[in-house]
Amino acid sequence: QPRVNWVVVRVAGQLRSLARMDIDRIPDSARRTLTKEGWCAFRAPLLANDIVLAASQIGTPVCHPGLPMVGVLRPHDREDARENTTSAIYGRTAFPLHTDMAHWPLPPRYMVMRASTPVPGFPTILIDSSKIRLDPISRESCRRASWMVSGVRKPFLCSMEFDHRGKRGIRWDTCAMSPYGPLARSIQTTISAALQELLKDSPIPMDWVSPDEVLIIDNWRMVHMRPHLPESAMHRTLERVLVKENEVA
């Protein structure tokens, strides 16, 4: 007789309990929420302790060459942070809204995360880029404007919006991207203001309260930020796996 375990699925910000036996699989309800909302969170101890397994169920786990597949994210003061990282710029102050790995030619489609050392009250905050409010001219400018991605071995030009095999995505990271040309410079303030308005009106906080909770983010749709972390929250530790979407033949 299989042992029944409880999985708690976060839907529209609320945690709902479901009795499940297949806790080594991402729940179907979580998959549906990910498709509909751009993110999902659920409690499943086996998957939380092996987020590479969770990542492999939605795509192919990827990482920087020479780095571990599971990235460990801890707060650092500026002077202690690794060079060319967001922590080296912002330290323990709030991180700006961004896409993870915006400096990659194609950012990873998903991120799978958990808190190995949760600190409640200091959430990861998401916003849904599909709900950004821009007038038609500004939206067209977003599609046409060029941005320079620097701080990488081979700097390259990109657009904020991209299309990959018929799927729309955005990339946004003011630490890695700078406006290239007058069109991008003219629209930069408008984009930043629209994102901040969305952050004010429709934030989605993921409060890390349990090491058994898994968060999956559609990195092509959602942008996210980290709040200011005081000295008392310096032990907050997150784990992250980046996921490339499997190509359909």
Side-chain angles (χ1 to χ4, degrees):
Q1 182 71 19
R3 180 169 57 92
V4 175
N5 293 273
W6 285 96
V7 172
V8 183
V9 180
R10 188 184 296 266
V11 180
Q14 301 297 318
L15 291 176
R16 299 179 184 175
S17 297
L18 302 172
R20 298 188 65 89
M21 291 179 288
D22 53 334
I23 61 169
D24 60 343
R25 306 294 299 174
I26 297 173
D28 291 341
S29 55
R31 290 177 177 272
R32 290 192 294 269
T33 299
L34 177 63
T35 300
K36 181 180 178 181
E37 305 292 341
W39 70 284
C40 68
F42 56 93
R43 282 187 191 161
L46 286 181
L47 285 180
N49 285 303
D50 188 359
I51 56 174
V52 175
L53 174 62
S56 67
Q57 294 176 25
I58 56 172
T60 302
V62 293
C63 63
H64 282 290
L67 293 181
M69 190 64 70
V70 179
V72 178
L73 310 177
R74 297 188 181 96
H76 296 279
D77 290 311
R78 289 185 181 91
E79 57 271 20
D80 299 326
R82 197 173 75 246
E83 189 177 359
N84 294 325
T85 62
T86 307
S87 290
I89 300 173
Y90 293 97
R92 290 189 286 114
T93 63
F95 284 6
L97 290 165
H98 64 282
T99 301
D100 263 25
M101 307 301 140
H103 61 284
W104 287 13
L106 181 66
R109 176 65 193 273
Y110 300 108
M111 296 186 297
V112 180
M113 303 178 69
R114 58 91 65 138
S116 56
T117 307
V119 180
F122 300 97
T124 297
I125 302 174
L126 315 174
I127 65 169
D128 186 348
S129 71
S130 70
K131 298 179 180 178
I132 191 170
R133 293 185 288 272
L134 292 171
D135 62 75
I137 294 177
S138 295
R139 191 169 294 278
E140 178 62 22
S141 296
C142 283
R143 286 191 281 266
R144 294 174 48 223
S146 295
W147 303 79
M148 175 64 74
V149 174
S150 55
V152 293
R153 183 176 299 177
K154 294 182 178 180
F156 61 92
L157 290 174
C158 68
S159 59
M160 177 185 174
E161 294 190 9
F162 62 89
D163 186 280
H164 181 70
R165 294 181 177 268
K167 296 179 180 178
R168 174 188 172 274
I170 75 158
R171 76 172 82 216
W172 183 254
D173 186 347
T174 54
C175 294
M177 299 165 55
S178 57
Y180 185 83
L183 183 58
R185 286 193 291 270
S186 70
I187 199 67
Q188 183 180 26
T189 301
T190 301
I191 296 171
S192 295
L195 290 172
Q196 289 300 316
E197 182 181 9
L198 196 55
L199 178 63
K200 179 182 176 181
D201 293 344
S202 305
I204 304 168
M206 172 62 190
D207 200 12
W208 299 104
V209 298
S210 169
D212 293 336
E213 193 159 31
V214 178
L215 171 66
I216 304 178
I217 300 172
D218 184 340
N219 193 48
W220 290 2
R221 174 175 168 181
M222 313 299 286
V223 290
H224 65 283
M225 64 165 291
R226 188 205 74 185
H228 166 75
L229 296 178
E231 188 71 31
S232 61
M234 285 292 282
H235 59 293
R236 176 185 188 263
T237 304
L238 307 183
E239 296 176 352
R240 177 193 64 195
V241 175
L242 307 170
V243 187
K244 174 185 175 183
E245 184 174 49
N246 290 333
E247 305 289 357
V248 178

